[in-house]
Amino acid sequence: METQIHQTLGTNILPSHYDLLFEPDFKTFTFKGTAYIVVSIKEPTKTIKLHAKELQIKTAELRQRNLSLAGKTHYNPQKEELTLTFPQAVHGQAQIHLQFTGRHNEGMYGFYRSSYQHKGKTEYLLTSQFEAANARAAFPCFDEPAFKATFDVSFIVDRNLFTISNMPIKKEKTLQNNQKQVSFLTSPRMSTYLLYLGIGNFQSIQTKHRHILIRVLTTPEKIHLAPLALGYTKKFLAFFEKYFQVKYPLPKVDIIAIPDFAAGAMENWGAITFREIAVLGDEKTSVAVKQNIAITIAHELAHQWFGNLVTMQWWDDLWLNESFATFMSYKAVNDAFPAWDLPLQYFEDTIADALSADEIEATHPINVHVNTPGEIDEIFDNISYDKGGSVLHMLEDAVGEAAFRQGLTLYLRKHAYQNATKHDLWTAIQEAKQENFVSTMVHGWITQSGYPLVSVKKEKNKYYLSQQRFSLLGKQHSESWIIPLRYFTDQGKAGTTILREKTTSFPSSAHWIKVNHGQPGFYRVTYDAPLLAQLGNALRRKKLSSLDAAGLENDLFSLMVSRQYSLAEYLGFVEQYCLDAEYPLNSSISGHLGWLLRLAAGSTLEDAVRRTSLLFHLEQLKKVGWRRVKNERNTTTLLRSQVISNLGLAGHAETLKKGKELFQQLQHGHGSVDQNLRSTIYLLAARQGDEKMFTYFIQQYQKETLPEESRRLLRAIGMFRQKAFVEKALAFSLSGVRLQDSYMIPIMISLNPGMNTLLWSWTKKHWPQFLKKFTSGTHMLGTFVKTMSSCSEEKMENDIAQFFSLKKNMRDDVKLVVKQVLEHIEINRRFMERN
């Protein structure tokens, strides 16, 4: 088993219990804290190291039976380490007593503050975000996932405030000065990053699943948007208990909507926090947001088992948490709402996303070595979430659902309240399957970057298959994988085989073969020209399933970007075989044509791309229309917005005209406009907007309280064509929006053709400000770099490289994303030159 060294406190001193008391001050946004930490010391030592960040240590003491030692403190801000030195060496069980003060920052990490409007006034609540390494910003601790301990939490707060932690309240004691002391029941054994602290004027609604109390908590004005989440939580909790065959181990689960929140959601055990848009909605909420709420809640609930009950040993196995939550969330939602077509959406949202993220050189393995907290932040990405989820999807298909599920149950039961590694998981699935190939097969998929391209060609009555790593830059690699292959032929026969070597062959009289039948595999396939033409005809004649059709086109698109096919060949394939496409093929093509149109803007390729885009999207519009019909499938509703948006971006006059008319109806309250189309209508209006309309969007955004509508307005602000408005939009993103949403306008501008140079100049100018505003724990800084991924100019590539070559501009949590952006620009440039 490989051993890797990372920045750790070591294993000589192990915590087993924390007793924590916090006394926050809502006027100064500072807090006083006391921590009693029970530790076991193996070898005698005079020094104890803990993690701490932005805390002032007032006193430090070590107690052991009749011994009491005062400690000297030394702080290393680079390592975020607090060293306590005592006058004599101690070993065995001891108790560390610390008194400290800290600050409730506005940076959305640690024990921070979040603002909201209540009865026309600004009020605050306190909340925590500790993953990956920010529990240390709330109290001195052993802040690594392997240091599991139990927690007793207490607060001293004003009597009128609502308090939340991982466990239910044990007791409340009335104090002087209109205060109370609230103490919570002891938590199960867990990692520091899963602890939760919440104080504020929360409102709640509740229900029960068995004896388990389920609550949804929000700020007062938004409690009417809580019932949707309450219903979802009850359904999914029951599903996971049944699926894992392991009962949810806590007496309650809280679903908490936070106004200022850097991530989408966080799985604190029994007290899950969310961005408001990721959890609040009602029956009027659009299909896209409603689905996202369901999937996000299911994702975080899956973590209560995968991540919380059983936790990775170190962050290199973060994917064990995130991949499983991604994979399982779609299962739970599909079980509750089969009409939503979640298995088809899983291909679009997860597998296709992961394939795109992993086809560059500057990717990383699913299981990646990380050392510092900043490096940990970099791996909260499509590889850890989506590629991991895709590989699990493939593994389940290879071993069978029953053995896969049985293996998960074995794993959870064996390692409950402990830490585990990927090897523990493979062992459990192997035991359930009673075959030894599982760990051998999966090892390559987890430890190697990238994925294979399987080449298929036919000679006489034989098919030849070979594999090599796929790279958009076309670089040669030596890796190979054990690939479980499914295939389907024109004779209606389905089969399976395993490609263990670089090449294989098998006899068959079939005229054509579709490899990766049903798209369970995490690889791309390329066919020789005659085979591709036959598959195109099969696609057009509906001889391929919708998933197989989407897989075929998705692979072809990436092969074109890697210059193995020309743009003309790809556009010809779409026009010849795909105009009558169904979901998810139509959604995949729509996304690809939109990307091509943005990249080709202002070049000699633009007319050819626009022609195909208009032809394809007008054909799709005939099928989906402008209005949602009763009992319409969610995928049709989602596609409609995509189709109309792309027609608008392609400059289709009738679509733009209708979009403007519908926007005027919305403005003046005439008629009813489908909630699912509002975002698209705003976008179409912005593309034709003047200063009056720009001002309207800004004013509406400033007044809006509904999370979904706020997001729609913010997206529109970034889509005006005039550079003057784009500059104003960027200025507004710095001063007029919440920190959590400050990247939304730059992201939209990156999708706005011809705005790259302006966006990069603005990013460079404000980069020092971003470095201060976005700490590594928020995962947000890299987003401002990613906006440059759609450039194709060598001058821009060189300027970005030069800018980040300066030490003052680089930080651990953006190192990888800078490499990725520079590679994407090179890929785009080569693609443009080839075509």
Side-chain angles (χ1 to χ4, degrees):
M1 208 158 86
E2 68 271 19
T3 56
Q4 293 179 316
I5 297 164
H6 46 255
Q7 194 172 296
T8 174
L9 296 176
T11 56
N12 188 46
I13 300 164
L14 298 176
S16 60
H17 180 72
Y18 291 80
D19 200 328
L20 303 170
L21 172 66
F22 296 94
E23 192 173 347
D25 185 329
F26 273 78
K27 292 188 179 73
T28 61
F29 294 113
T30 57
F31 60 90
K32 288 189 275 191
T34 308
Y36 299 145
I37 311 171
V38 178
V39 294
S40 175
I41 304 166
K42 287 182 197 169
E43 300 295 328
T45 182
K46 283 185 177 183
T47 60
I48 293 177
K49 284 187 176 179
L50 304 92
H51 292 112
K53 177 177 175 177
E54 298 165 11
L55 298 173
Q56 300 296 316
I57 308 301
K58 299 300 181 185
T59 64
E61 193 183 353
L62 189 131
R63 293 179 189 172
Q64 197 179 40
R65 292 181 293 277
N66 301 323
L67 185 68
S68 179
L69 301 172
K72 289 181 181 173
T73 61
H74 175 261
Y75 181 59
N76 180 335
Q78 276 71 45
K79 286 189 168 183
E80 297 176 351
E81 274 182 10
L82 172 68
T83 304
L84 309 178
T85 307
F86 299 99
Q88 66 184 69
V90 289
H91 75 284
Q93 194 170 82
Q95 207 179 55
I96 305 165
H97 287 216
L98 295 152
Q99 289 184 314
F100 54 92
T101 59
R103 186 177 63 88
H104 298 296
N105 66 72
E106 290 183 286
M108 299 181 293
Y109 64 91
F111 191 12
Y112 71 92
R113 70 187 191 258
S114 173
S115 68
Y116 61 95
Q117 293 297 306
H118 179 48
K119 295 180 178 175
K121 288 182 181 175
T122 300
E123 291 197 4
Y124 291 88
L125 58 84
L126 303 177
T127 184
S128 64
Q129 171 59 29
F130 292 160
E131 190 180 32
N134 276 315
R136 62 190 70 180
F139 59 102
C141 56
F142 297 82
D143 202 12
E144 296 171 23
F147 292 128
K148 285 197 166 187
T150 53
F151 292 82
D152 282 334
V153 173
S154 297
F155 297 125
I156 293 176
V157 292
D158 287 353
R159 282 179 211 169
N160 63 334
L161 289 172
F162 198 105
T163 57
I164 314 166
S165 190
N166 306 75
M167 297 294 284
I169 291 171
K170 180 182 179 181
K171 64 178 179 185
E172 288 193 19
K173 186 167 75 175
T174 303
L175 305 176
Q176 293 176 335
N177 302 325
N178 201 34
Q179 288 194 305
K180 63 183 176 182
Q181 181 166 338
V182 184
S183 302
F184 295 86
L185 292 166
T186 305
S187 78
R189 202 166 169 268
M190 65 184 193
S191 306
T192 46
Y193 79 90
L194 294 169
L195 187 68
Y196 181 68
L197 313 171
I199 304 166
N201 181 16
F202 289 100
Q203 300 281 303
S204 69
I205 59 169
Q206 64 187 55
T207 185
K208 278 194 170 183
H209 165 65
R210 296 190 295 108
H211 67 282
I212 299 158
L213 178 67
I214 302 170
R215 298 187 299 187
V216 178
L217 302 105
T218 77
T219 56
E221 268 80 356
K222 292 184 177 154
I223 195 65
H224 66 285
L225 297 171
L228 192 70
L230 193 71
Y232 288 166
T233 305
K234 187 171 182 175
K235 277 189 171 81
F236 304 151
L237 199 64
F239 170 82
F240 286 128
E241 285 195 332
K242 187 179 172 188
Y243 186 92
F244 293 134
Q245 293 294 294
V246 174
K247 296 290 186 199
Y248 175 76
L250 273 63
K252 62 103 175 169
V253 58
D254 287 336
I255 302 293
I256 311 160
I258 303 295
D260 298 283
F261 195 75
M266 174 61 209
E267 66 266 21
N268 317 297
W269 213 355
I272 309 168
T273 45
F274 295 78
R275 267 188 187 226
E276 290 181 332
I277 195 168
V279 74
L280 298 182
D282 57 21
E283 288 312 313
K284 292 179 189 169
T285 300
S286 70
V287 162
V289 171
K290 204 179 282 184
Q291 280 193 176
N292 185 56
I293 289 169
I295 291 165
T296 308
I297 289 171
H299 181 107
E300 302 310 322
L301 286 171
H303 274 310
Q304 308 302 295
W305 286 263
F306 266 91
N308 299 10
L309 182 65
V310 181
T311 311
M312 75 255 142
Q313 185 73 21
W314 178 248
W315 296 104
D316 51 2
D317 272 328
L318 170 73
W319 74 276
L320 275 179
N321 289 10
E322 298 304 346
S323 301
F324 264 99
T326 299
F327 177 66
M328 289 305 306
S329 63
Y330 280 76
K331 275 191 181 298
V333 180
N334 185 54
D335 180 76
F337 304 104
W340 288 8
D341 291 323
L342 262 287
L344 296 181
Q345 293 192 50
Y346 191 76
F347 173 76
E348 267 283 272
D349 300 345
T350 303
I351 299 173
D353 252 21
L355 288 166
S356 296
D358 205 32
E359 59 195 3
I360 58 175
E361 300 296 318
T363 182
H364 65 80
I366 293 174
N367 182 242
V368 59
H369 178 59
V370 289
N371 186 23
T372 68
E375 289 173 6
I376 294 164
D377 281 339
E378 280 210 308
I379 60 167
F380 283 86
D381 64 2
N382 298 65
I383 303 300
S384 297
Y385 285 70
D386 295 341
K387 180 181 178 180
S390 303
V391 169
L392 291 173
H393 181 66
M394 176 169 66
L395 176 62
E396 181 193 50
D397 184 70
V399 302
E401 191 176 358
F404 182 81
R405 189 170 165 181
Q406 192 186 340
L408 299 192
T409 302
L410 286 170
Y411 169 82
L412 289 169
R413 287 178 178 170
K414 184 174 181 181
H415 301 285
Y417 306 104
Q418 298 173 54
N419 298 83
T421 69
K422 56 187 177 293
H423 302 286
D424 297 315
L425 181 62
W426 307 148
T427 303
I429 294 173
Q430 249 176 210
E431 192 181 326
K433 180 67 176 168
Q434 296 185 325
E435 286 183 26
N436 289 328
F437 83 96
V438 174
S439 59
T440 317
M441 183 194 99
V442 176
H443 184 77
W445 293 97
I446 300 301
T447 58
Q448 293 180 162
S449 295
Y451 56 82
L453 172 69
V454 175
S455 299
V456 184
K457 65 176 183 176
K458 186 186 179 191
E459 287 180 13
K460 296 181 181 172
N461 282 336
K462 213 168 191 184
Y463 281 95
Y464 293 86
L465 275 66
S466 61
Q467 62 161 302
Q468 65 182 64
R469 178 174 160 185
F470 180 59
S471 160
L472 286 180
L473 281 176
K475 293 194 175 177
Q476 295 299 303
H477 293 273
S478 59
E479 296 102 319
S480 65
W481 290 260
I482 296 172
I483 312 173
L485 294 171
R486 284 195 174 278
Y487 60 87
F488 181 76
T489 72
D490 65 305
Q491 297 161 344
K493 289 180 183 171
T496 60
T497 186
I498 295 179
L499 180 55
R500 296 177 186 273
E501 308 297 331
K502 284 269 192 180
T503 59
T504 192
S505 64
F506 57 88
S508 172
S509 59
H511 291 296
W512 55 257
I513 183 173
K514 165 66 177 71
V515 175
N516 203 6
H517 173 48
Q519 298 303 125
F522 192 71
Y523 55 90
R524 294 203 185 280
V525 187
T526 181
Y527 301 89
D528 61 22
L531 265 177
L532 183 64
Q534 285 181 307
L535 285 165
N537 279 317
L539 187 164
R540 187 175 55 197
R541 299 197 320 270
K542 304 279 197 263
K543 300 286 185 186
L544 297 182
S545 72
S546 60
L547 266 177
D548 279 325
L552 185 66
E553 181 274 336
N554 206 282
D555 293 346
L556 185 66
F557 175 79
S558 274
L559 289 161
M560 173 201 63
V561 176
S562 69
R563 307 177 312 286
Q564 294 180 47
Y565 289 92
S566 69
L567 174 65
E569 285 172 310
Y570 171 75
L571 296 177
F573 187 89
V574 170
E575 291 188 20
Q576 192 172 353
Y577 304 119
C578 306
L579 294 184
D580 190 32
E582 291 172 3
Y583 191 89
L585 175 61
N586 46 21
S587 178
S588 180
I589 293 170
S590 183
H592 290 149
L593 291 173
W595 181 85
L596 283 168
L597 200 57
R598 287 191 298 276
L599 188 68
S603 76
T604 52
L605 304 179
E606 189 174 7
D607 286 347
V609 175
R610 176 174 281 110
R611 192 184 81 86
T612 303
S613 187
L614 287 171
L615 185 67
F616 175 78
H617 286 111
L618 285 169
E619 202 62 37
Q620 288 294 315
L621 187 62
K622 282 182 198 170
K623 289 163 72 173
V624 298
W626 277 82
R627 296 187 72 84
R628 191 170 197 235
V629 298
K630 197 177 177 185
N631 299 325
E632 179 176 282
R633 300 198 85 81
N634 283 11
T635 47
T636 304
T637 308
L638 295 169
L639 184 75
R640 178 179 297 109
S641 298
Q642 201 176 354
V643 165
I644 294 169
S645 295
N646 273 320
L647 283 169
L649 287 170
H652 185 245
E654 281 178 46
T655 300
L656 288 166
K657 184 184 172 197
K658 181 146 188 176
K660 199 168 186 177
E661 286 168 2
L662 288 171
F663 177 72
Q664 284 164 350
Q665 282 182 32
L666 274 172
Q667 254 186 311
H668 301 112
H670 301 147
S672 64
V673 176
D674 181 3
Q675 285 288 330
N676 298 285
L677 266 189
R678 282 180 88 107
S679 192
T680 299
I681 290 162
Y682 290 173
L683 184 144
L684 297 178
R687 299 301 291 157
Q688 308 166 78
D690 55 12
E691 186 155 12
K692 189 178 172 187
M693 189 179 289
F694 183 83
T695 306
Y696 170 83
F697 278 128
I698 296 277
Q699 288 173 346
Q700 289 299 112
Y701 173 77
Q702 288 168 332
K703 286 189 287 191
E704 188 54 57
T705 58
L706 193 69
E708 181 179 9
E709 185 67 1
S710 291
R711 173 67 61 88
R712 290 180 187 128
L713 292 160
L714 207 52
R715 287 165 64 88
I717 289 166
M719 288 307 286
F720 282 75
R721 283 180 175 174
Q722 303 89 326
K723 287 194 174 179
F725 297 149
V726 171
E727 284 168 350
K728 282 183 180 179
L730 287 168
F732 184 68
S733 76
L734 290 175
S735 60
V737 306
R738 287 182 182 271
L739 189 64
Q740 67 169 6
D741 293 324
S742 52
Y743 60 81
M744 279 302 307
I745 288 175
I747 281 178
M748 292 310 294
I749 290 168
S750 75
L751 304 176
N752 192 341
M755 297 299 173
N756 285 331
T757 306
L758 191 157
L759 182 56
W760 172 237
S761 298
W762 174 84
T763 304
K764 276 197 300 185
K765 181 182 174 183
H766 295 285
W767 190 251
Q769 193 177 333
F770 298 156
L771 285 167
K772 283 180 190 161
K773 278 169 82 169
F774 303 106
T775 71
S776 65
T778 60
H779 318 303
M780 288 171 74
L781 186 65
T783 314
F784 290 88
V785 187
K786 279 182 190 167
T787 55
M788 293 296 109
S789 296
S790 57
C791 300
S792 59
E793 298 83 26
E794 192 169 7
K795 186 182 173 188
M796 181 81 80
E797 187 181 345
N798 294 336
D799 194 36
I800 293 170
Q802 172 66 31
F803 181 77
F804 286 109
S805 69
L806 301 176
K807 196 175 179 182
K808 65 177 183 178
N809 294 330
M810 186 54 89
R811 206 167 74 183
D812 276 357
D813 56 334
V814 295
K815 277 181 185 171
L816 185 61
V817 81
V818 168
K819 282 185 192 170
Q820 290 172 341
V821 165
L822 290 171
E823 185 176 342
H824 275 298
I825 297 172
E826 185 182 353
I827 289 160
N828 296 344
R829 179 167 53 77
R830 289 188 183 189
F831 169 78
M832 294 298 284
E833 287 166 2
R834 153 82 161 88
N835 288 287

